[in-house]
Amino acid sequence: MRVGVGILGGGTVGGTLARKLLDDHEVIASKSGVELALVKVAVRDMAKPRAFPAEYATDDLESVVDDPSVKLVVELMGGLEPARSLVLRALAQGKAVVTANKELVAADGPELFQEAASHGVSLLFEAAVGGGIPLIRPLSESLAGERLTRVLGIVNGTTNFILSAMDSEGRDYADVLEEAQRLGYAEADPTADVGGGDAAAKAAILAALAFGVWVGGDGVYREGITEIQTDDIEFGRRLGYCIKLLAVGEDTPAGVAVRVHPAMVPLDHPLASVRGAHNAVFVEGPAVGDLLFMGPGAGGDPTATAVLGDVIDAARELLAGTQVVPRIQFGAGRLAEFEQVLSQFYIRLEVADAPGVLAQIAGVFGDHGVSIRSVWQEGRGGAATLLLVTHEATEGDQQAALDAIRSLDTVRQVAAAIRVIGS
Ligand SMILES: NC(=O)c1ccc[n+]([C@@H]2O[C@H](COP(=O)([O-])OP(=O)(O)OC[C@H]3O[C@@H](n4cnc5c(N)ncnc54)[C@H](OP(=O)(O)O)[C@@H]3O)[C@@H](O)[C@H]2O)c1
């Protein structure tokens, strides 16, 4: 049985998907039992060369959604509008939708999935986190019954590429960013990547899948990588860590905590070996243990492969005529106050090299309920670099201690404060 497919967006992913649907038509049918028929691909600029024959292209977005032979709409335009309106328009007509748009899912997930549920159709988004890595389906299906405790993800290839190059080549942030832009790993405006916004959208989606709690992309605490210095990469390595930008979701006694920040990751942790533009997500559960999902987080072919898997899945459901129950839930749940979240910190202080300074600093931490796990000091003339790794304490106490340390006469600078992830 045939299912007509309309694609919104014929760029890197949409163009590759269109070509796959045409070239691999028979293989897909014989492997999956569904015959997928490409109907149209909507683009903005009809003059651009495409990865698929020109007769499939149109610049009339609505005509693709409204075409009666299109039963399944694939949104691969990106951004919020007009993607959001078009997805809602397709769902309202009872058409299944597949998207790779994390920004859209993280911003409007509850509304979109409510609309899909009310029409009993699929809204699938495997490629929205981790590109080509099968991740959403394992989390939403295979692990649906597990009480997951923690999800740690390297979900932004650009920042992982930058941090990996800073680590292996000792080059500074600005220098590596420029190279990443030249090689096409970073956008001309890299803010969404290096500022943590892209990872925050993915963290919100991962937390909804892992814990059934919705925070939304804007509700995720975030710190990017723009302040990371090569000194801390070097010192971190001496202490047994490497620095990664992590999306972290945790089910804690204080509630579900979702955040994005650079973190010192122990060198023997599986995420430490994820280098370059790769993505990986490490999932922990009491029954299932530790699971690692790793692979290409972007790129036309890997991403279109993940999208195609969703298209086949949604087509099967359309053909079966079943009412589809959404695979993601948006419970209000209990979200942790950020100040209550337990964190461990690596801290680099530039201090006066004088007797009693270390005791004074340890005293300030102690006054705020933060105990120190290890200290390392290097003197240089009248100044010294002090590296501290704290034990776990609440974010509120850690930040209050750091504020008090900043105001000490003997402390010239809190040069870095980076969270540490326990293995
Ligand atoms: N690229 C990846 O590796 C990757 C990985 C994971 C997820 N994703 C997600 O996949 C989606 C697509 O990404 P992409 O890299 O394929 O983007 P892209 O190369 O920029 O392609 C976007 C396509 O949408 C079309 N388009 C955008 N706005 C339009 C409008 N208002 N009217 C008509 N057409 C419009 C563009 O038309 P023109 O070609 O005429 O400009 C283009 O064909 C995004 O949500 C992205 O976050 C991408």
Side-chain angles (χ1 to χ4, degrees):
M1 289 230 281
R2 292 174 94 232
V3 173
V5 178
I7 307 178
L8 305 171
T12 307
V13 186
T16 309
L17 177 68
R19 189 178 41 74
K20 275 186 196 293
L21 287 173
L22 295 170
D23 292 355
D24 300 345
H25 181 261
E26 260 138 54
V27 182
I28 295 167
S30 69
K31 265 187 77 177
S32 70
V34 292
E35 197 186 329
L36 299 171
L38 179 64
V39 179
K40 278 284 174 202
V41 185
V43 296
R44 189 164 25 201
D45 179 355
M46 292 291 283
K48 268 193 203 170
R50 301 288 167 188
F52 53 90
E55 74 242 38
Y56 287 96
T58 173
D59 56 6
D60 183 349
L61 292 160
E62 272 105 12
S63 75
V64 174
V65 174
D66 297 345
D67 188 317
S69 66
V70 169
K71 303 292 180 212
L72 201 159
V73 173
V74 189
E75 186 279 302
L76 294 169
M77 304 164 62
L80 293 180
E81 283 295 350
R84 177 179 171 280
S85 304
L86 292 161
V87 167
L88 287 170
R89 187 179 178 116
L91 294 170
Q93 295 176 42
K95 299 186 178 189
V97 173
V98 172
T99 180
N101 189 337
K102 72 256 154 181
E103 200 187 343
L104 180 64
V105 176
D108 294 313
E111 183 193 0
L112 300 175
F113 285 91
Q114 174 58 43
E115 185 68 6
S118 71
H119 295 279
V121 289
S122 306
L123 171 54
L124 301 180
F125 55 101
E126 178 62 66
V129 185
I133 309 170
L135 174 65
I136 305 294
R137 199 163 274 101
L139 279 174
S140 60
E141 295 181 4
S142 322
L143 298 170
E146 170 69 318
R147 295 173 67 94
L148 295 175
T149 48
R150 189 163 75 156
V151 178
L152 297 174
I154 295 173
V155 290
N156 182 275
T158 304
T159 48
N160 205 50
F161 173 86
I162 293 172
L163 291 172
S164 300
M166 287 173 74
D167 185 307
S168 58
E169 296 159 30
R171 290 156 61 202
D172 70 18
Y173 168 76
D175 187 22
V176 178
L177 172 62
E178 196 185 280
E179 188 200 1
Q181 286 171 315
R182 205 163 9 90
L183 294 175
Y185 286 117
E187 308 269 343
D189 175 2
T191 317
D193 291 321
V194 300
D198 172 83
K202 293 166 178 170
I205 297 171
L206 287 177
L209 289 163
F211 311 115
V213 168
W214 184 240
V215 330
D218 288 342
V220 175
Y221 172 86
R222 75 191 66 162
E223 279 175 31
I225 64 160
T226 53
E227 306 296 321
I228 298 296
Q229 297 173 33
T230 41
D231 278 355
D232 296 302
I233 292 178
E234 173 60 29
F235 286 132
R237 187 159 285 279
R238 284 196 218 169
L239 299 175
Y241 300 106
C242 67
I243 301 181
K244 297 288 182 192
L245 182 72
L246 292 188
V248 185
E250 263 180 305
D251 192 1
T252 77
V256 172
V258 192
R259 56 199 195 270
V260 168
H261 53 68
M264 292 279 179
V265 175
L267 288 169
D268 61 358
H269 191 283
L271 289 180
S273 60
V274 179
R275 303 187 68 80
H278 267 55
N279 280 196
V281 175
F282 190 74
V283 176
E284 300 169 13
V288 79
D290 297 343
L291 300 171
L292 178 68
F293 301 88
M294 183 169 112
D301 270 312
T303 309
T305 300
V307 173
L308 182 54
D310 275 353
V311 170
I312 292 168
D313 198 2
R316 283 181 177 142
E317 279 165 346
L318 281 175
L319 293 172
T322 42
Q323 284 279 312
V324 179
V325 177
R327 294 183 174 91
I328 184 167
Q329 298 301 320
F330 300 98
R334 203 163 59 95
L335 287 173
E337 294 287 329
F338 189 61
E339 287 67 34
Q340 298 304 314
V341 171
L342 292 178
S343 290
Q344 192 184 354
F345 270 87
Y346 152 97
I347 295 161
R348 174 161 62 94
L349 303 175
E350 301 301 336
V351 300
D353 197 1
V357 173
L358 184 54
Q360 186 190 26
I361 289 167
V364 172
F365 276 109
D367 291 346
H368 290 85
V370 180
S371 63
I372 298 193
R373 199 182 83 178
S374 63
V375 181
W376 185 87
Q377 183 169 358
E378 189 175 83
R380 298 188 219 127
T385 296
L386 204 57
L387 302 182
L388 307 166
V389 178
T390 71
H391 279 292
E392 270 194 343
T394 65
E395 278 284 337
D397 287 342
Q398 300 267 20
Q399 297 300 343
L402 280 169
D403 285 344
I405 298 275
R406 275 188 193 95
S407 66
L408 294 176
D409 289 344
T410 47
V411 173
R412 301 194 173 155
Q413 194 192 3
V414 176
I418 300 172
R419 292 170 184 82
V420 176
I421 289 294
S423 39

